Amino acid sequence: MNSHANINFLLTSFLVLLGSRIACVMVGLPATGKTLISQKVCRYLQWLGITTKVFNVGNYRRKLHGAHQLHDFFNPANPDGERSRREAAVEALEDMVYWFKKEQGVVALYDATNSTRSRREMLMAECKKHDIQVMFIESVCEDEALVLHNIMSVKLKSPDYKDMDPEKAVEDFKARIFHYREAYESITEENLTYIKLINVGSQVIINHIQGYLQSRIVYYLMNLHIAPRSIFFSRHGESLYNVMGKLGGDSDLSARGKQYAKSLPLLIATHLGNSEQLTVWTSTMKRTIGTAEHLTYPKLAWKALDELDAGVCDGMTYEEIEEQYPEDFANRDEDKFNYRYRGGESYRDVVLRLEPVIMELERQRNILIIGHQAILRCIYAYFMNHSHEKLPYIKIPLHTVIQLTPSAYTCEEKRFKVDIEAVDTHRPKPKAGAPKSATDANPETPVEASASTDAVKPAAAVGEKDCGATITTTTMSTTTFRDSAF
Ligand code: ATP
Ligand code: F6P
C-alpha cells in the first residue's frame, strides 16, 4: 500500500474510533436536488467504508399519512398538515439517533426540506443531546427551468403522484413549492456549520466546516455536476500474462489484445455520439497504454489506476499461490475485500487510493478508463453501489466495453462485447464447504466448468448480469454490431 492510502486508511479508522457522528441536514425547497445529493454522499462514504445512512422524511410521511397528499397538506397555514409533517420529521430523527447508537453510525443524511429556522433548531437541540455534530447542506436553485425539468423527470414518478394526470401533478407540485417558499428561511446564522450550493454549485458558500470528514464531504459536493455524460470502462486488451494465467506484472498485449486495441476507436466513436468530447485515462502500465494506442482523444496516464499490487505473488498464477502460500490463499477466499497480499495491497487499499480518481470523475464529462480488473471493479462498485463483499467478484471481462450513464437516481449500464476471443480471468468465490482449489470449476458459469484453470478459458459469449442493474449486452464483431438486450 502506498503512503497516501495508508494515511487515508488510518484517518478513516480514527474517525470511527473517536466516535465521530455527523448529521448532514439537507435544506432546500422541493425539487432542488436534496435527495440526489444525499444519496450520492451516502454512496461515496459507504464506498470509502464509512458507516452512512440516508433518512428520508418523505418516506416517513408516506408511511404515516399515506402517499396521496395534495398541496394543501404542505400549506404552512394548515395546522393539521403542519402537525403531521412534524410527526414524520420527529420519527425520522428518532430513528437516526437510534441508528447512530446501535449501528455505530458515522454520517447520517437527514433528507427533508428543513426550510424553517424553528425546524432546524429542533433538529440541532436533539442532536446536541446525543453528541451528534450537525452540518447543514442547503441547495438553492433559482433556475426555474431546471426546477420544472426536475419535476417532470423525477417528481412525476414519485408515489405521491401515482395514477395522477401528469399536468395536474405538475400544477400540484408547483403549488407545493409555493407553500414552502412562503415559509422558507435560508441559513444565515454565522455560528452554524453549513455549505450552501447555489445553482448546482455555480456558487458555493461554506461556513464553519470542521474536521476531516466534513471537509471531505464539502470537497465532494463542490465537484458534483448534473450535466449528461457517459463513463466508459474497458480492461486492457488481453496481455501475455493473462494468457499464462499470471497475476500483475507489466507485460505486453497478446496478438488478440492488440487486435482489440485496434477495434476500440470504432466502438467508442459509435457509442459516444458525434459532437461529444472524450478523455482517455489509462494506468502507467504497458498493457493499458498499448490498448489506448489507436485512440485519438486526449489521454492521461494515472499511477493511481495501476493494478492492485499482488506483492510477493506478483507474476504467479493462482495455482502457484495456492501451493506456496496456502494459508494466504484461503484467507483471501474468506475475505477478499480486506485480504492484503504480503508486501502488496488489498481491495480496501485500492479503494482508498482511487478516491482522487472518483473525485476527478465526478468533475469531468465523458471519460474512457482503460484499466485493470481489480481497479475497474472498485470504480464500477462506486457507481453501481455494490457492497464491499460483492466488489471483488464483479465481472469485468476482457474485450468488453462498459458504458455507464448516470441519471437522477440511477445509472444505466450497457456492455459491448467485442468478438475477439480472450481468456477469462474471473475467479469466482468458492461455495461454502466446497474444495477451495484454484483449479476448481466455477459452478455458476457453465463455460468455465470444463476448464482446467479459469485463467486460460475464452471469455463467455454473453455479458454479465450480477450487478443489480438493467444491463444491455451487445456483441461487436470487427465490422458489424449486433444488439441483444436481456
Ligand atoms: P423533494 O424536496 O421533493 O424531496 P429534492 O430536493 O430532494 O425534492 P430531488 O428528488 O433530489 O429533489 O431532485 C432530483 C433532481 O434534482 C434531479 O433531476 C437532479 O438532476 C436535480 N439536481 C441535483 N442537484 C441539484 C441542484 N444542486 N440544484 C438543482 N437541481 C439539482
Ligand atoms: O488476472 C488479471 C489481474 O488484473 C491481475 O493482474 C490481478 O492480480 C487480478 O486480475 C485481480 O483480480 P482478483 O482480485 O480476482 O485476483
Side-chain angles (χ1 to χ4, degrees):
M1 177 165 57
N2 66 30
S3 60
H4 182 155
N6 237 325
I7 290 163
N8 263 342
F9 181 69
L10 287 173
L11 275 170
T12 310
S13 315
F14 274 140
L15 289 167
V16 177
L17 289 173
L18 287 174
S20 259
R21 293 169 171 181
I22 303 174
C24 296
V25 175
M26 304 306 299
V27 176
L29 290 172
T32 52
K34 299 182 302 297
T35 298
L36 179 116
I37 293 167
S38 308
Q39 289 184 359
K40 286 202 75 146
V41 171
C42 182
R43 181 157 56 81
Y44 165 68
L45 295 176
Q46 283 181 343
W47 180 78
L48 283 172
I50 295 166
T51 309
T52 308
K53 188 168 174 177
V54 177
F55 294 83
N56 178 293
V57 176
N59 289 338
Y60 285 81
R61 164 178 58 82
R62 281 182 279 272
K63 189 188 76 185
L64 290 170
H65 308 293
H68 299 281
Q69 301 291 351
L70 294 179
H71 67 84
D72 197 45
F73 181 84
F74 303 92
N75 187 340
N78 170 359
D80 286 346
E82 189 74 6
R83 203 175 320 106
S84 304
R85 288 193 292 123
R86 191 183 156 87
E87 213 183 311
V90 168
E91 192 164 320
L93 178 62
E94 284 169 358
D95 279 1
M96 181 181 85
V97 169
Y98 182 81
W99 172 81
F100 270 119
K101 283 193 187 150
K102 290 290 164 208
E103 310 282 332
Q104 277 85 47
V106 178
V107 179
L109 282 302
Y110 184 85
D111 179 17
T113 53
N114 302 314
S115 52
T116 61
R117 234 173 233 162
S118 67
R119 172 62 60 83
R120 297 193 291 266
E121 278 163 6
M122 184 271 281
L123 294 170
M124 283 190 292
E126 193 59 20
C127 286
K128 197 172 174 196
K129 275 195 229 159
H130 300 279
D131 220 6
I132 299 166
Q133 303 165 32
V134 174
M135 172 182 171
F136 292 104
I137 303 176
E138 180 172 357
S139 174
V140 178
C141 184
E142 288 149 354
D143 178 345
E144 287 193 14
L146 175 59
V147 172
L148 184 63
H149 172 265
N150 292 348
I151 297 174
M152 307 286 281
S153 61
V154 177
K155 297 301 160 192
L156 295 191
K157 292 176 197 144
S158 150
D160 289 8
Y161 294 114
K162 191 168 179 286
D163 301 329
M164 199 193 229
D165 171 58
E167 265 180 44
K168 283 195 182 134
V170 171
E171 285 317 305
D172 186 79
F173 202 85
K174 283 184 177 170
R176 186 193 292 195
I177 296 176
F178 178 81
H179 291 315
Y180 273 105
R181 194 171 277 135
E182 279 181 310
Y184 192 76
E185 293 167 297
S186 187
I187 303 178
T188 49
E189 297 93 320
E190 278 177 15
N191 60 329
L192 299 186
T193 293
Y194 67 85
I195 171 166
K196 205 180 277 204
L197 300 161
I198 300 164
N199 294 329
V200 203
S202 59
Q203 195 190 350
V204 179
I205 299 170
I206 53 175
N207 196 60
H208 264 302
I209 296 300
Q210 319 157 32
Y212 174 77
L213 253 185
Q214 289 187 6
S215 41
R216 286 321 304 161
I217 296 169
V218 164
Y219 189 45
Y220 179 74
L221 291 171
M222 287 171 71
N223 283 309
L224 297 184
H225 70 76
I226 54 171
R229 50 95 171 249
S230 282
I231 297 148
F232 296 88
F233 296 147
S234 169
R235 285 176 68 187
H236 51 81
E238 182 188 68
S239 71
L240 296 174
Y241 261 34
N242 290 148
V243 176
M244 292 185 275
K246 286 178 188 281
L247 306 183
D250 191 14
S251 68
D252 283 317
L253 297 177
S254 70
R256 298 189 298 199
K258 287 181 184 159
Q259 221 187 319
Y260 175 71
K262 281 191 190 148
S263 77
L264 265 186
L266 175 60
L267 194 156
I268 297 298
T270 307
H271 296 286
L272 179 65
N274 285 342
S275 56
E276 292 289 328
Q277 306 208 327
L278 179 83
T279 306
V280 180
W281 292 355
T282 64
S283 72
T284 62
M285 294 177 150
K286 280 192 284 190
R287 54 195 187 276
T288 60
I289 292 172
T291 306
E293 190 186 338
H294 306 286
L295 293 161
T296 51
Y297 309 100
K299 292 173 203 162
L300 188 70
W302 288 69
K303 182 86 183 131
L305 288 174
D306 285 359
E307 181 55 313
L308 181 148
D309 181 353
V312 296
C313 297
D314 189 80
M316 291 167 74
T317 63
Y318 289 125
E319 292 75 14
E320 286 165 349
I321 300 173
E322 187 181 24
E323 207 178 290
Q324 292 179 39
Y325 300 103
E327 222 176 292
D328 286 67
F329 194 74
N331 289 343
R332 191 162 199 255
D333 279 343
E334 203 56 44
D335 182 1
K336 194 173 175 189
F337 184 78
N338 287 304
Y339 170 81
R340 181 181 288 151
Y341 278 109
R342 294 171 189 234
E345 290 178 299
S346 65
Y347 273 88
R348 183 181 288 281
D349 297 331
V350 171
V351 160
L352 294 172
R353 92 156 126 98
L354 284 172
E355 199 254 6
V357 174
I358 293 297
M359 207 59 100
E360 190 55 24
L361 266 179
E362 284 294 354
R363 268 167 35 81
Q364 294 283 341
R365 298 288 287 268
N366 298 314
I367 296 287
L368 162 62
I369 305 180
I370 300 184
H372 304 266
Q373 177 159 253
I375 297 298
L376 293 181
R377 279 175 177 154
C378 294
I379 301 175
Y380 179 93
Y382 165 77
F383 283 101
M384 302 306 273
N385 209 7
H386 281 305
S387 66
H388 287 173
E389 201 190 343
K390 270 181 103 182
L391 182 157
Y393 296 99
I394 294 170
K395 290 183 182 170
I396 312 277
L398 287 167
H399 298 185
T400 302
V401 172
I402 301 175
Q403 179 180 12
L404 298 185
T405 309
S407 64
Y409 301 152
T410 54
C411 206
E412 188 201 347
E413 167 171 351
K414 287 183 184 155
R415 290 189 175 216
F416 308 104
K417 182 174 161 22
V418 177
D419 206 6
I420 298 168
E421 287 219 335
V423 296
D424 182 350
T425 60
H426 182 263
R427 183 177 175 274
K429 185 176 172 68
K431 286 247 153 68
K436 287 186 179 168
S437 160
T439 53
D440 273 349
N442 173 4
E444 281 160 35
T445 24
V447 178
E448 290 174 352
S450 59
S452 59
T453 159
D454 58 15
V456 293
K457 191 70 195 161
V462 292
E464 322 304 337
K465 206 191 168 187
D466 65 341
C467 342
T470 313
I471 303 171
T472 306
T473 302
T474 303
T475 301
M476 182 205 171
S477 77
T478 39
T479 47
T480 55
F481 299 96
R482 179 165 57 82
D483 281 330
S484 72
F486 69 94

